[in-house]
Amino acid sequence: MEEYDDLSAGPSEDGALDLSHNTWSVFPEELSQFSKTLTSLDMKNCRLSQIPESIRDLTLLQSLDVSLNQIDYIDKGIGQCIRLRSLNVSRNRLNSLPSQLSKCVMLEKIIADQNRLTTLPETLTDLIAISTIDVRDNQLKNIPLGLCRVPTLKSILCEGNNDLNVAPENMRNDTAMLFHCLEMQLKFREVIDAKTNQREDLQVNANELREQLNNTTHCIGELEKDIAALVWERPDEYIRRKERFLELVKFVSDKIVFYWQLTKDVVLKWWEDHKTHPEY
């Protein structure tokens, strides 16, 4: 078949391989045999449904064009293509891009318009050479705010994302205005995050103080019990109770003496009244 003839011929002298406008439905595993020579791969307008893990073998790849396919999945192995400069996945069925794209440190251009993207990976802000990101006509609701601080990024194309909430519709086709909107939101988020962290720290401190208060209250209760148990050992308390005891002893002693004397008098009187012999 013609497509296999193109594949068997291998890359040209400049490392380019054109397999476009064919009936490929599966990413050819045979491409791995060209890992030391293949620098540019064109497979646009085929029937591909995914970019498999084997893409990781193409470590010298600088340009990959798989536009006009039916791709709904890109394996994380693409992060091993560390020399990749241009990625074109336009007009496919992608819902997301792999976060491992951030490992493609030389990546300058991402063309992903007319897909089904709902979000972009935050790791795109780690790309140190990126200059263009085209995500027009997708289903994006937001984009990484940190992109506005990537110094090499000159253009973000995001028109046609009706639910995009990072900028008014009339500002989305102006990269400078879009960057301004992203910067304002990023600063606002940083303030909110700082306040949130501060609130969480205060909550942690409040919980620690509450725990300390509970422990202190418990210790005070225990100390009050100890003080109550040791009250007899206080000198002033001992003296006061001793004086009361001596007063009680004297009171009882006086009462005993009184009643003893009273009894004695009664007995003597009775004795005198009941004598049976004359007194000499």
PDB file of all heavy atoms in Angstrom, residues 14-42:
ATOM      1  N   ASP A  14      16.895  15.579   5.524  1.00  0.00           N
ATOM      2  CA  ASP A  14      16.751  16.594   6.577  1.00  0.00           C
ATOM      3  C   ASP A  14      15.945  16.075   7.765  1.00  0.00           C
ATOM      4  O   ASP A  14      15.597  16.822   8.671  1.00  0.00           O
ATOM      5  CB  ASP A  14      16.115  17.862   6.027  1.00  0.00           C
ATOM      6  CG  ASP A  14      14.722  17.628   5.463  1.00  0.00           C
ATOM      7  OD1 ASP A  14      14.262  16.461   5.477  1.00  0.00           O
ATOM      8  OD2 ASP A  14      14.095  18.602   5.010  1.00  0.00           O
ATOM      9  N   GLY A  15      15.629  14.750   7.771  1.00  0.00           N
ATOM     10  CA  GLY A  15      14.933  14.132   8.899  1.00  0.00           C
ATOM     11  C   GLY A  15      13.432  14.235   8.838  1.00  0.00           C
ATOM     12  O   GLY A  15      12.753  13.880   9.813  1.00  0.00           O
ATOM     13  N   ALA A  16      12.854  14.682   7.723  1.00  0.00           N
ATOM     14  CA  ALA A  16      11.406  14.853   7.611  1.00  0.00           C
ATOM     15  C   ALA A  16      10.752  13.616   7.016  1.00  0.00           C
ATOM     16  O   ALA A  16      11.303  12.979   6.111  1.00  0.00           O
ATOM     17  CB  ALA A  16      11.089  16.072   6.754  1.00  0.00           C
ATOM     18  N   LEU A  17       9.576  13.290   7.550  1.00  0.00           N
ATOM     19  CA  LEU A  17       8.811  12.154   7.040  1.00  0.00           C
ATOM     20  C   LEU A  17       7.359  12.598   6.866  1.00  0.00           C
ATOM     21  O   LEU A  17       6.706  13.029   7.812  1.00  0.00           O
ATOM     22  CB  LEU A  17       8.869  10.974   8.005  1.00  0.00           C
ATOM     23  CG  LEU A  17       8.105   9.707   7.587  1.00  0.00           C
ATOM     24  CD1 LEU A  17       8.621   9.163   6.248  1.00  0.00           C
ATOM     25  CD2 LEU A  17       8.206   8.642   8.672  1.00  0.00           C
ATOM     26  N   ASP A  18       6.856  12.473   5.628  1.00  0.00           N
ATOM     27  CA  ASP A  18       5.502  12.910   5.305  1.00  0.00           C
ATOM     28  C   ASP A  18       4.615  11.695   5.094  1.00  0.00           C
ATOM     29  O   ASP A  18       4.745  10.982   4.092  1.00  0.00           O
ATOM     30  CB  ASP A  18       5.512  13.797   4.061  1.00  0.00           C
ATOM     31  CG  ASP A  18       4.156  14.430   3.780  1.00  0.00           C
ATOM     32  OD1 ASP A  18       3.176  14.068   4.469  1.00  0.00           O
ATOM     33  OD2 ASP A  18       4.082  15.294   2.882  1.00  0.00           O
ATOM     34  N   LEU A  19       3.717  11.451   6.037  1.00  0.00           N
ATOM     35  CA  LEU A  19       2.743  10.360   5.926  1.00  0.00           C
ATOM     36  C   LEU A  19       1.324  10.924   5.873  1.00  0.00           C
ATOM     37  O   LEU A  19       0.353  10.223   6.179  1.00  0.00           O
ATOM     38  CB  LEU A  19       2.877   9.421   7.132  1.00  0.00           C
ATOM     39  CG  LEU A  19       4.250   8.753   7.344  1.00  0.00           C
ATOM     40  CD1 LEU A  19       4.217   7.858   8.592  1.00  0.00           C
ATOM     41  CD2 LEU A  19       4.649   7.922   6.117  1.00  0.00           C
ATOM     42  N   SER A  20       1.194  12.162   5.486  1.00  0.00           N
ATOM     43  CA  SER A  20      -0.108  12.833   5.514  1.00  0.00           C
ATOM     44  C   SER A  20      -1.031  12.348   4.400  1.00  0.00           C
ATOM     45  O   SER A  20      -0.591  11.719   3.440  1.00  0.00           O
ATOM     46  CB  SER A  20       0.090  14.346   5.382  1.00  0.00           C
ATOM     47  OG  SER A  20       0.668  14.664   4.112  1.00  0.00           O
ATOM     48  N   HIS A  21      -2.328  12.650   4.588  1.00  0.00           N
ATOM     49  CA  HIS A  21      -3.358  12.353   3.586  1.00  0.00           C
ATOM     50  C   HIS A  21      -3.367  10.860   3.228  1.00  0.00           C
ATOM     51  O   HIS A  21      -3.409  10.477   2.057  1.00  0.00           O
ATOM     52  CB  HIS A  21      -3.146  13.194   2.319  1.00  0.00           C
ATOM     53  CG  HIS A  21      -3.097  14.668   2.600  1.00  0.00           C
ATOM     54  ND1 HIS A  21      -4.205  15.419   2.871  1.00  0.00           N
ATOM     55  CD2 HIS A  21      -2.029  15.519   2.637  1.00  0.00           C
ATOM     56  CE1 HIS A  21      -3.851  16.676   3.067  1.00  0.00           C
ATOM     57  NE2 HIS A  21      -2.537  16.772   2.933  1.00  0.00           N
ATOM     58  N   ASN A  22      -3.322  10.029   4.276  1.00  0.00           N
ATOM     59  CA  ASN A  22      -3.388   8.583   4.092  1.00  0.00           C
ATOM     60  C   ASN A  22      -4.473   8.015   4.998  1.00  0.00           C
ATOM     61  O   ASN A  22      -5.228   8.768   5.629  1.00  0.00           O
ATOM     62  CB  ASN A  22      -2.037   7.933   4.382  1.00  0.00           C
ATOM     63  CG  ASN A  22      -1.069   8.063   3.207  1.00  0.00           C
ATOM     64  OD1 ASN A  22      -1.384   7.682   2.078  1.00  0.00           O
ATOM     65  ND2 ASN A  22       0.115   8.616   3.472  1.00  0.00           N
ATOM     66  N   THR A  23      -4.525   6.715   5.076  1.00  0.00           N
ATOM     67  CA  THR A  23      -5.602   6.062   5.828  1.00  0.00           C
ATOM     68  C   THR A  23      -5.099   5.472   7.150  1.00  0.00           C
ATOM     69  O   THR A  23      -5.701   4.533   7.673  1.00  0.00           O
ATOM     70  CB  THR A  23      -6.241   4.952   4.972  1.00  0.00           C
ATOM     71  OG1 THR A  23      -5.231   3.998   4.585  1.00  0.00           O
ATOM     72  CG2 THR A  23      -6.890   5.543   3.737  1.00  0.00           C
ATOM     73  N   TRP A  24      -4.012   6.013   7.684  1.00  0.00           N
ATOM     74  CA  TRP A  24      -3.500   5.495   8.954  1.00  0.00           C
ATOM     75  C   TRP A  24      -4.558   5.685  10.055  1.00  0.00           C
ATOM     76  O   TRP A  24      -5.001   6.791  10.311  1.00  0.00           O
ATOM     77  CB  TRP A  24      -2.229   6.228   9.374  1.00  0.00           C
ATOM     78  CG  TRP A  24      -1.061   6.063   8.462  1.00  0.00           C
ATOM     79  CD1 TRP A  24      -0.611   6.934   7.515  1.00  0.00           C
ATOM     80  CD2 TRP A  24      -0.191   4.943   8.416  1.00  0.00           C
ATOM     81  NE1 TRP A  24       0.485   6.441   6.876  1.00  0.00           N
ATOM     82  CE2 TRP A  24       0.779   5.200   7.414  1.00  0.00           C
ATOM     83  CE3 TRP A  24      -0.115   3.731   9.109  1.00  0.00           C
ATOM     84  CZ2 TRP A  24       1.790   4.309   7.092  1.00  0.00           C
ATOM     85  CZ3 TRP A  24       0.901   2.844   8.787  1.00  0.00           C
ATOM     86  CH2 TRP A  24       1.839   3.126   7.796  1.00  0.00           C
ATOM     87  N   SER A  25      -4.943   4.600  10.694  1.00  0.00           N
ATOM     88  CA  SER A  25      -5.872   4.689  11.835  1.00  0.00           C
ATOM     89  C   SER A  25      -5.144   4.455  13.159  1.00  0.00           C
ATOM     90  O   SER A  25      -5.668   4.779  14.227  1.00  0.00           O
ATOM     91  CB  SER A  25      -7.015   3.669  11.688  1.00  0.00           C
ATOM     92  OG  SER A  25      -6.496   2.343  11.622  1.00  0.00           O
ATOM     93  N   VAL A  26      -3.941   3.890  13.049  1.00  0.00           N
ATOM     94  CA  VAL A  26      -3.113   3.628  14.235  1.00  0.00           C
ATOM     95  C   VAL A  26      -1.746   4.243  13.995  1.00  0.00           C
ATOM     96  O   VAL A  26      -1.189   4.137  12.885  1.00  0.00           O
ATOM     97  CB  VAL A  26      -2.982   2.108  14.499  1.00  0.00           C
ATOM     98  CG1 VAL A  26      -2.063   1.854  15.688  1.00  0.00           C
ATOM     99  CG2 VAL A  26      -4.358   1.490  14.732  1.00  0.00           C
ATOM    100  N   PHE A  27      -1.208   4.860  15.018  1.00  0.00           N
ATOM    101  CA  PHE A  27       0.123   5.446  14.930  1.00  0.00           C
ATOM    102  C   PHE A  27       1.137   4.326  14.663  1.00  0.00           C
ATOM    103  O   PHE A  27       1.232   3.379  15.440  1.00  0.00           O
ATOM    104  CB  PHE A  27       0.454   6.143  16.252  1.00  0.00           C
ATOM    105  CG  PHE A  27       1.549   7.159  16.156  1.00  0.00           C
ATOM    106  CD1 PHE A  27       1.310   8.415  15.624  1.00  0.00           C
ATOM    107  CD2 PHE A  27       2.823   6.863  16.603  1.00  0.00           C
ATOM    108  CE1 PHE A  27       2.312   9.368  15.538  1.00  0.00           C
ATOM    109  CE2 PHE A  27       3.832   7.799  16.525  1.00  0.00           C
ATOM    110  CZ  PHE A  27       3.584   9.051  15.992  1.00  0.00           C
ATOM    111  N   PRO A  28       1.875   4.385  13.579  1.00  0.00           N
ATOM    112  CA  PRO A  28       2.749   3.266  13.190  1.00  0.00           C
ATOM    113  C   PRO A  28       3.860   3.003  14.215  1.00  0.00           C
ATOM    114  O   PRO A  28       4.645   3.901  14.534  1.00  0.00           O
ATOM    115  CB  PRO A  28       3.342   3.727  11.855  1.00  0.00           C
ATOM    116  CG  PRO A  28       2.465   4.836  11.382  1.00  0.00           C
ATOM    117  CD  PRO A  28       1.946   5.493  12.610  1.00  0.00           C
ATOM    118  N   GLU A  29       3.917   1.777  14.712  1.00  0.00           N
ATOM    119  CA  GLU A  29       4.981   1.402  15.637  1.00  0.00           C
ATOM    120  C   GLU A  29       6.338   1.390  14.938  1.00  0.00           C
ATOM    121  O   GLU A  29       7.384   1.540  15.575  1.00  0.00           O
ATOM    122  CB  GLU A  29       4.694   0.028  16.239  1.00  0.00           C
ATOM    123  CG  GLU A  29       3.458  -0.002  17.136  1.00  0.00           C
ATOM    124  CD  GLU A  29       3.273  -1.355  17.792  1.00  0.00           C
ATOM    125  OE1 GLU A  29       4.124  -2.254  17.549  1.00  0.00           O
ATOM    126  OE2 GLU A  29       2.286  -1.523  18.546  1.00  0.00           O
ATOM    127  N   GLU A  30       6.322   1.202  13.621  1.00  0.00           N
ATOM    128  CA  GLU A  30       7.571   1.153  12.858  1.00  0.00           C
ATOM    129  C   GLU A  30       8.347   2.473  12.922  1.00  0.00           C
ATOM    130  O   GLU A  30       9.552   2.501  12.618  1.00  0.00           O
ATOM    131  CB  GLU A  30       7.283   0.822  11.396  1.00  0.00           C
ATOM    132  CG  GLU A  30       6.737  -0.587  11.159  1.00  0.00           C
ATOM    133  CD  GLU A  30       5.237  -0.671  11.344  1.00  0.00           C
ATOM    134  OE1 GLU A  30       4.631   0.327  11.785  1.00  0.00           O
ATOM    135  OE2 GLU A  30       4.663  -1.734  11.050  1.00  0.00           O
ATOM    136  N   LEU A  31       7.682   3.538  13.340  1.00  0.00           N
ATOM    137  CA  LEU A  31       8.358   4.834  13.426  1.00  0.00           C
ATOM    138  C   LEU A  31       9.505   4.809  14.434  1.00  0.00           C
ATOM    139  O   LEU A  31      10.457   5.586  14.323  1.00  0.00           O
ATOM    140  CB  LEU A  31       7.359   5.934  13.804  1.00  0.00           C
ATOM    141  CG  LEU A  31       6.370   6.346  12.718  1.00  0.00           C
ATOM    142  CD1 LEU A  31       5.323   7.299  13.285  1.00  0.00           C
ATOM    143  CD2 LEU A  31       7.104   7.012  11.551  1.00  0.00           C
ATOM    144  N   SER A  32       9.432   3.898  15.394  1.00  0.00           N
ATOM    145  CA  SER A  32      10.470   3.822  16.426  1.00  0.00           C
ATOM    146  C   SER A  32      11.835   3.493  15.838  1.00  0.00           C
ATOM    147  O   SER A  32      12.866   3.865  16.411  1.00  0.00           O
ATOM    148  CB  SER A  32      10.077   2.775  17.480  1.00  0.00           C
ATOM    149  OG  SER A  32       8.886   3.146  18.138  1.00  0.00           O
ATOM    150  N   GLN A  33      11.857   2.809  14.687  1.00  0.00           N
ATOM    151  CA  GLN A  33      13.141   2.460  14.090  1.00  0.00           C
ATOM    152  C   GLN A  33      13.860   3.685  13.526  1.00  0.00           C
ATOM    153  O   GLN A  33      15.055   3.625  13.204  1.00  0.00           O
ATOM    154  CB  GLN A  33      12.930   1.419  12.984  1.00  0.00           C
ATOM    155  CG  GLN A  33      12.089   1.916  11.813  1.00  0.00           C
ATOM    156  CD  GLN A  33      11.841   0.845  10.766  1.00  0.00           C
ATOM    157  OE1 GLN A  33      12.781   0.186  10.300  1.00  0.00           O
ATOM    158  NE2 GLN A  33      10.569   0.658  10.414  1.00  0.00           N
ATOM    159  N   PHE A  34      13.140   4.806  13.421  1.00  0.00           N
ATOM    160  CA  PHE A  34      13.751   6.042  12.924  1.00  0.00           C
ATOM    161  C   PHE A  34      14.046   7.028  14.068  1.00  0.00           C
ATOM    162  O   PHE A  34      14.198   8.228  13.831  1.00  0.00           O
ATOM    163  CB  PHE A  34      12.820   6.716  11.899  1.00  0.00           C
ATOM    164  CG  PHE A  34      12.383   5.818  10.779  1.00  0.00           C
ATOM    165  CD1 PHE A  34      11.039   5.626  10.509  1.00  0.00           C
ATOM    166  CD2 PHE A  34      13.325   5.166   9.999  1.00  0.00           C
ATOM    167  CE1 PHE A  34      10.629   4.794   9.475  1.00  0.00           C
ATOM    168  CE2 PHE A  34      12.925   4.336   8.954  1.00  0.00           C
ATOM    169  CZ  PHE A  34      11.575   4.139   8.695  1.00  0.00           C
ATOM    170  N   SER A  35      14.136   6.522  15.272  1.00  0.00           N
ATOM    171  CA  SER A  35      14.295   7.393  16.437  1.00  0.00           C
ATOM    172  C   SER A  35      15.575   8.217  16.391  1.00  0.00           C
ATOM    173  O   SER A  35      15.654   9.273  17.022  1.00  0.00           O
ATOM    174  CB  SER A  35      14.273   6.554  17.727  1.00  0.00           C
ATOM    175  OG  SER A  35      15.338   5.604  17.710  1.00  0.00           O
ATOM    176  N   LYS A  36      16.579   7.752  15.624  1.00  0.00           N
ATOM    177  CA  LYS A  36      17.852   8.470  15.572  1.00  0.00           C
ATOM    178  C   LYS A  36      17.974   9.412  14.374  1.00  0.00           C
ATOM    179  O   LYS A  36      18.995  10.078  14.206  1.00  0.00           O
ATOM    180  CB  LYS A  36      19.004   7.474  15.554  1.00  0.00           C
ATOM    181  CG  LYS A  36      19.100   6.650  16.841  1.00  0.00           C
ATOM    182  CD  LYS A  36      20.294   5.714  16.806  1.00  0.00           C
ATOM    183  CE  LYS A  36      20.399   4.900  18.083  1.00  0.00           C
ATOM    184  NZ  LYS A  36      21.567   3.980  18.063  1.00  0.00           N
ATOM    185  N   THR A  37      16.919   9.442  13.544  1.00  0.00           N
ATOM    186  CA  THR A  37      16.989  10.295  12.343  1.00  0.00           C
ATOM    187  C   THR A  37      15.759  11.175  12.152  1.00  0.00           C
ATOM    188  O   THR A  37      15.856  12.223  11.512  1.00  0.00           O
ATOM    189  CB  THR A  37      17.171   9.430  11.080  1.00  0.00           C
ATOM    190  OG1 THR A  37      16.100   8.474  10.998  1.00  0.00           O
ATOM    191  CG2 THR A  37      18.509   8.696  11.112  1.00  0.00           C
ATOM    192  N   LEU A  38      14.635  10.769  12.710  1.00  0.00           N
ATOM    193  CA  LEU A  38      13.383  11.478  12.457  1.00  0.00           C
ATOM    194  C   LEU A  38      13.299  12.765  13.285  1.00  0.00           C
ATOM    195  O   LEU A  38      13.339  12.729  14.523  1.00  0.00           O
ATOM    196  CB  LEU A  38      12.188  10.574  12.793  1.00  0.00           C
ATOM    197  CG  LEU A  38      10.802  11.137  12.508  1.00  0.00           C
ATOM    198  CD1 LEU A  38      10.635  11.471  11.034  1.00  0.00           C
ATOM    199  CD2 LEU A  38       9.722  10.150  12.970  1.00  0.00           C
ATOM    200  N   THR A  39      13.181  13.890  12.593  1.00  0.00           N
ATOM    201  CA  THR A  39      13.058  15.181  13.283  1.00  0.00           C
ATOM    202  C   THR A  39      11.736  15.881  12.988  1.00  0.00           C
ATOM    203  O   THR A  39      11.328  16.757  13.752  1.00  0.00           O
ATOM    204  CB  THR A  39      14.213  16.118  12.869  1.00  0.00           C
ATOM    205  OG1 THR A  39      14.159  16.331  11.449  1.00  0.00           O
ATOM    206  CG2 THR A  39      15.558  15.523  13.251  1.00  0.00           C
ATOM    207  N   SER A  40      11.078  15.502  11.887  1.00  0.00           N
ATOM    208  CA  SER A  40       9.809  16.144  11.537  1.00  0.00           C
ATOM    209  C   SER A  40       8.845  15.095  11.002  1.00  0.00           C
ATOM    210  O   SER A  40       9.179  14.369  10.068  1.00  0.00           O
ATOM    211  CB  SER A  40      10.032  17.232  10.474  1.00  0.00           C
ATOM    212  OG  SER A  40       8.806  17.805  10.065  1.00  0.00           O
ATOM    213  N   LEU A  41       7.666  15.011  11.621  1.00  0.00           N
ATOM    214  CA  LEU A  41       6.680  14.015  11.228  1.00  0.00           C
ATOM    215  C   LEU A  41       5.367  14.712  10.884  1.00  0.00           C
ATOM    216  O   LEU A  41       4.804  15.445  11.689  1.00  0.00           O
ATOM    217  CB  LEU A  41       6.448  13.011  12.362  1.00  0.00           C
ATOM    218  CG  LEU A  41       5.380  11.937  12.106  1.00  0.00           C
ATOM    219  CD1 LEU A  41       5.756  11.072  10.898  1.00  0.00           C
ATOM    220  CD2 LEU A  41       5.188  11.070  13.352  1.00  0.00           C
ATOM    221  N   ASP A  42       4.881  14.438   9.658  1.00  0.00           N
ATOM    222  CA  ASP A  42       3.622  15.020   9.187  1.00  0.00           C
ATOM    223  C   ASP A  42       2.626  13.891   8.949  1.00  0.00           C
ATOM    224  O   ASP A  42       2.812  13.077   8.039  1.00  0.00           O
ATOM    225  CB  ASP A  42       3.855  15.812   7.902  1.00  0.00           C
ATOM    226  CG  ASP A  42       2.608  16.573   7.449  1.00  0.00           C
ATOM    227  OD1 ASP A  42       1.526  16.326   8.001  1.00  0.00           O
ATOM    228  OD2 ASP A  42       2.735  17.416   6.536  1.00  0.00           O
TER     229      ASP A  42
END
